[in-house]
Amino acid sequence: MALLTEPLATYAAGRAGRIAISGIGIVAPGAIGIDAFRALLNAGMSAVAPIELFDTEGLCAHNAALVIDFKARDYIPPMKLRRMNTLSRYAVSAARLAIDDAGAALPNDAGVALGTVFGPVQTSVDYMQEYVAKGAALAPPQLFAESVANAPGSHIAIELDLRGFNVTITQRESSLLAAAMFASGQIVKGTVPAAIIGGVEEVNEMVFSVLDRVGALAHAQGDLTEGMRPFDRRRNGMSIGEGSAIFIAEREPSREPYGWISGFGMARDTTATISDWGNGDEQVAAAMRAAIDDAGIEISGIDAIYASANGTKRGDRLEFRAIQYLFGDEVPPVVATKAYFGEYAAGGGLQFAAALLAMRDQRLHASFGLDEPDTELRFMPVRGSRPANLRNILVNSISAGGGIVCAVISRERA
């Protein structure tokens, strides 16, 4: 795999370097386990609901997609559980579910690559409150140990006795695909035979309040009720979500895989501000094209796009303009899933899981939240779930701040 010149970078894996995804573990809003997640998507039900976790009075937004009916003790022994924060509990539980789904333990030299958007913000808040109230000598050291973003990945490696690389990547909406790109490159190079890749995120009051105050969250506006509306002309922001999605990535799969990661493309939109999307649709198109080229296929070989669209005005516009720029009048079916489980959910992993389920089941999911398409759209996103002949699916991840990572999932190894 080779790194090309900036702003475009791609791992030239091609058909000889495709990586199998042989297991998926899900801890998601409204769904624990891959079968429950499939049922959520197939039912066309959103997990975004009014927040009861903390008080949202005085804010514009009041909804999020939260993990409920989840019992970490079902997956983690009590003495270990007490040493983990919420993020680590989500990630370790999802990792165990992924191993069970794959049907085989990973070798000890496997690696771990996780993505997270904000990491352990709540743990840091808890630690600082204890520090201020009790002083440095009495502040719980375990809280400090869990206040770093790589704590969930470290717990996974310890619990599963994995001794390969262990990295955590924070790249906003692109965190999961960036982690997957790193891990896939290491597997192709032979550094490790397999890896856990995944994402983890939690919703907390501080992050929610900040996003609300900068106007990033969906909110009621006139006669418009609060809701996440990807590609809709009335969209006014995202709803956020939490959870963890963990994937077993192998060069030689232990079972029939969900699909094969066949290509990656990466670029940067230099017109973006630090907290918003820009207008560099050509760069987004370049990242998509790089992923397609890396997969060794033609543009016409893409059978569906699982979009990054999250209901933000600039972010959605940037993506659909890039899609139209690259595909012209031959846009393949486009699916927007994030309104099912919120933005940032599982560090972006649930969107990737949905695309892998579409490949396994040979069935496209319905886009959620779209009622009145943006007037600039020259294609119609998929409105109802339907069977499809899916050989290659393009997955887009476009971050506020300018980061872009795209991936291609293929049905066949070659």
Side-chain angles (χ1 to χ4, degrees):
M1 287 188 170
L3 188 65
L4 303 184
T5 57
E6 292 293 348
L8 179 63
T10 180
Y11 282 140
R15 294 180 182 271
R18 295 185 172 185
I19 304 301
I21 300 297
S22 52
I24 303 177
I26 298 291
V27 174
I32 307 301
I34 190 63
D35 291 335
F37 186 62
R38 176 188 281 111
L40 175 76
L41 294 173
N42 290 345
M45 297 173 56
S46 175
V48 178
I51 295 172
E52 298 181 359
L53 181 65
F54 49 82
D55 185 9
T56 62
E57 185 177 358
L59 302 179
C60 295
H62 307 282
N63 296 343
L66 304 181
V67 173
I68 58 175
D69 298 328
F70 166 65
K71 299 179 176 61
R73 63 177 179 272
D74 292 342
Y75 310 98
I76 306 169
M79 291 302 293
K80 295 180 178 180
L81 190 66
R82 62 186 295 187
R83 297 196 294 270
M84 299 182 191
N85 64 8
T86 299
L87 280 178
S88 295
R89 292 176 181 185
Y90 286 166
V92 171
S93 299
R96 292 199 177 279
L97 286 167
I99 293 291
D100 290 344
D101 187 46
L106 287 174
N108 295 122
D109 54 347
V112 178
L114 294 191
T116 185
V117 181
F118 298 109
V121 170
Q122 187 59 50
T123 303
S124 298
V125 170
D126 294 342
Y127 177 77
M128 290 308 300
Q129 288 175 339
E130 293 284 332
Y131 185 96
V132 171
K134 300 177 181 178
L138 296 178
Q142 189 56 42
L143 280 178
F144 182 77
E146 289 289 288
S147 68
V148 292
N150 64 336
S154 299
H155 279 297
I156 288 175
I158 292 169
E159 291 302 303
L160 301 181
D161 193 22
L162 304 180
R163 304 172 189 177
F165 61 79
N166 196 303
V167 300
T168 298
I169 295 175
T170 58
Q171 182 55 47
R172 296 290 290 268
E173 291 83 351
S174 301
S175 296
L176 178 280
L177 285 189
M181 185 169 66
F182 174 85
S184 297
Q186 297 303 307
I187 294 172
V188 167
K189 288 194 297 185
T191 305
V192 296
I196 277 183
I197 61 176
V200 62
E201 207 65 43
E202 69 172 325
V203 172
N204 60 77
E205 185 175 6
M206 177 172 286
V207 169
F208 188 90
S209 298
V210 169
L211 290 172
D212 181 85
R213 284 178 166 82
V214 300
L217 299 183
H219 53 276
Q221 190 172 15
D223 294 333
L224 187 69
T225 59
E226 181 176 336
M228 190 171 176
R229 297 175 171 87
F231 291 139
D232 195 287
R233 70 173 183 83
R234 303 162 302 160
R235 64 189 184 277
N236 65 5
M238 67 180 85
S239 299
I240 61 173
E242 62 181 0
S244 182
I246 298 294
F247 308 90
I248 306 300
E250 300 178 292
R251 184 69 179 268
E252 300 297 334
S254 53
R255 53 161 281 185
E256 183 67 23
Y258 285 86
W260 298 80
I261 301 177
S262 56
F264 287 103
M266 183 172 68
R268 177 162 181 79
D269 177 10
T270 57
T271 70
T273 65
I274 193 171
S275 60
D276 203 348
W277 289 264
N279 54 20
D281 48 277
E282 292 187 15
Q283 290 304 315
V284 178
M288 290 191 287
R289 181 59 190 259
I292 295 167
D293 289 346
D294 195 28
I297 60 176
E298 300 295 327
I299 290 180
S300 59
I302 294 296
D303 301 305
I305 301 171
Y306 269 61
S308 183
N310 61 9
T312 56
K313 288 184 179 295
R314 293 171 66 89
D316 285 14
R317 183 185 298 118
L318 177 65
E319 184 173 25
F320 72 65
R321 285 180 174 175
I323 290 171
Q324 291 166 178
Y325 178 90
L326 181 62
F327 290 92
D329 295 329
E330 302 296 329
V331 176
V334 177
V335 181
T337 59
K338 288 184 177 179
Y340 285 104
F341 41 73
E343 181 58 283
Y344 309 136
L350 296 183
Q351 175 200 4
F352 192 61
L356 284 161
L357 280 176
M359 182 63 73
R360 164 65 70 85
D361 298 339
Q362 291 292 287
R363 188 176 189 87
L364 292 172
H365 302 104
S367 300
F368 195 91
L370 174 64
D371 294 317
E372 300 181 21
D374 190 293
T375 56
E376 290 187 52
L377 272 177
R378 299 203 304 268
F379 60 87
M380 177 59 69
V382 175
R383 304 295 293 274
S385 176
R386 65 173 190 255
N389 179 23
L390 301 172
R391 301 159 299 163
N392 302 289
I393 297 175
L394 177 65
V395 182
N396 288 341
S397 188
I398 307 168
S399 299
I404 309 159
V405 185
C406 301
V408 174
I409 300 169
S410 298
R411 185 168 62 192
E412 304 294 338
R413 182 170 194 168

